[in-house]
Amino acid sequence: MSKGEPYVVLHGGVHKTATSHIQSILQRNAGRLQKRGVYYVHHRDTRKQYTVPTQLNGYEKLGLDYKTKVPDDVLARKARNFFNKIGAGPGDRIVLSDENMPGHSGHCVRSGLLYNRREVLLPIFAQNIPYPVTEVHIALRNYADFFASTFVEFLRSAKGENVIPEAQMKRAVLSNLPSWTGFIDLVLSCFPEAQMTVWRHEDFGSLSDRVIGNLIGSAVEVSDLVTPKRKRGRPSASHRAVQELLMEIERSGGEAALARRVEIQDAYPRGPEYPGYNPWNEAERAHLGRIYDKDIKEIAMRKRVTLLEG
């Protein structure tokens, strides 16, 4: 490993895999980590100052007409400024975390694919990092729960005219049969010198200390980190709340219904009385589960990939 410049450790999500929890621990301990040569960049700063500019650059390449334009020369300048401001020196460890690296939840929900703009967005994100990316850390989630959770996330942030029905999301997923293998292969190709660590979100409870330890390296013991005083994560929506919201969209239209999102979720909070959102029948969930298990086994055989087992 070169000691002539900082090296980058990247935590790339994916969405709905306890990313916010990991980010809150890293941020709470950022000062302590920096004293030991580990520079964690707040995920909001990473997103605003680096991820969003790379995506706006990609959207223009995709022919999408966004108001804000970030051509190649502007992106290069923004990237230089972002990394210079971190202040890391030779041999220091820069830890970046942003689940939006390959795209957004809505990109998955609408297409039924795992980040349908990833082929453009991921290479741009990778190519503008000026230092060696030595490690990439990514959590994966079973397809049934991933798309259920991302659909809820989509409904939380969607505009009225952009809402799609649950049935449309399900058709897209089941007709495309999503696969994490192609996603992982693209990440490996974008970071050809990096070692990748992958874990199943379903195992995160037993792996959390190992995941955090792998991100921060050996300079600081995980047991020495301070746990955030309060959890910032939003609770998942109940099945009843999502169904009520979708029915309200049918009755009143997207804009009027979405204005009542919080009211509806508060009326039907997730808990023993109102289980979590699950749009799949038993056969669909089992089918998606078999595909997930097969794909995880295949990913674990990839060169440069280490699968953490719970």
Side-chain angles (χ1 to χ4, degrees):
M1 182 182 300
S2 172
K3 293 291 184 180
E5 55 190 346
Y7 55 93
V8 177
V9 176
L10 178 62
H11 171 225
V14 296
H15 289 92
K16 314 311 294 182
T17 57
T19 305
S20 296
H21 173 68
I22 293 170
Q23 291 165 344
S24 69
I25 293 174
L26 295 175
Q27 180 58 30
R28 177 68 176 82
N29 293 275
R32 178 182 310 228
L33 292 169
Q34 186 170 323
K35 292 176 182 177
R36 305 300 296 271
V38 180
Y39 289 71
Y40 171 67
V41 185
H42 197 299
H43 74 278
R44 292 194 189 95
D45 294 332
T46 299
R47 184 167 300 167
K48 181 179 179 180
Q49 298 170 28
Y50 186 70
T51 308
V52 168
T54 65
Q55 291 183 340
L56 289 170
N57 178 269
Y59 293 158
E60 190 166 1
K61 289 178 168 61
L62 285 165
L64 303 174
D65 187 21
Y66 278 71
K67 182 178 180 180
T68 303
K69 311 293 183 186
V70 182
D72 292 348
D73 59 333
V74 174
L75 176 58
R77 185 178 70 251
K78 285 179 177 290
R80 283 195 303 271
N81 291 341
F82 171 70
F83 282 95
N84 286 340
K85 192 167 68 174
I86 294 171
D92 286 337
R93 186 181 188 94
I94 297 174
V95 181
L96 302 179
S97 177
D98 191 357
E99 63 271 36
N100 285 350
M101 176 181 72
H104 300 274
S105 293
H107 299 166
C108 302
V109 167
R110 290 182 168 282
S111 66
L113 299 169
L114 296 168
Y115 304 101
N116 65 330
R117 296 173 179 173
R118 70 191 191 201
E119 298 286 343
V120 172
L121 299 184
L122 261 172
I124 296 171
F125 185 98
Q127 290 161 8
N128 285 276
I129 298 175
Y131 306 128
V133 176
T134 59
E135 302 173 23
V136 178
H137 300 256
I138 291 181
L140 303 176
R141 190 169 185 177
N142 73 76
Y143 302 125
D145 289 337
F146 175 80
F147 278 98
S149 294
T150 52
F151 187 62
V152 171
E153 192 71 17
F154 169 73
L155 290 175
R156 280 175 169 153
S157 58
K159 302 284 180 60
E161 67 275 12
N162 295 329
V163 175
I164 63 171
E166 175 187 275
Q168 182 177 331
M169 179 273 290
K170 289 183 61 177
R171 276 197 307 273
V173 172
L174 294 171
S175 61
N176 284 306
L177 294 181
S179 173
W180 289 121
T181 56
F183 173 79
I184 291 296
D185 286 342
L186 176 62
V187 176
L188 287 169
S189 70
C190 288
F191 303 99
E193 299 179 9
Q195 296 295 315
M196 178 183 289
T197 300
V198 174
W199 63 97
R200 288 172 289 240
H201 173 64
E202 297 79 20
D203 296 335
F204 180 69
S206 61
L207 293 174
S208 58
D209 283 355
R210 288 174 64 188
V211 168
I212 297 293
N214 288 338
L215 287 169
I216 64 177
S218 59
V220 181
E221 293 291 334
V222 174
S223 58
D224 292 336
L225 299 181
V226 178
T227 303
K229 293 182 179 179
R230 61 188 181 91
K231 296 182 179 179
R232 297 177 180 272
R234 292 175 295 184
S236 299
S238 69
H239 188 84
R240 176 70 181 275
V242 174
Q243 296 304 319
E244 290 288 336
L245 177 59
L246 293 173
M247 287 189 290
E248 185 66 23
I249 289 171
E250 289 291 326
R251 288 193 296 265
S252 310
E255 188 172 348
L258 292 175
R260 298 187 58 220
R261 276 180 289 220
V262 175
E263 175 189 343
I264 292 172
Q265 182 162 325
D266 288 347
Y268 305 102
R270 180 173 178 175
E273 186 177 359
Y274 301 112
Y277 175 59
N278 175 29
W280 314 103
N281 63 39
E282 188 175 339
E284 291 166 343
R285 177 170 281 276
H287 179 52
L288 292 170
R290 286 189 294 270
I291 298 171
Y292 177 64
D293 291 341
K294 170 179 170 292
D295 289 345
I296 289 293
K297 289 179 181 178
E298 184 176 339
I299 288 167
M301 297 175 66
R302 295 287 197 268
K303 291 181 179 179
R304 296 191 286 124
V305 171
T306 298
L307 176 66
L308 298 183
E309 298 282 3

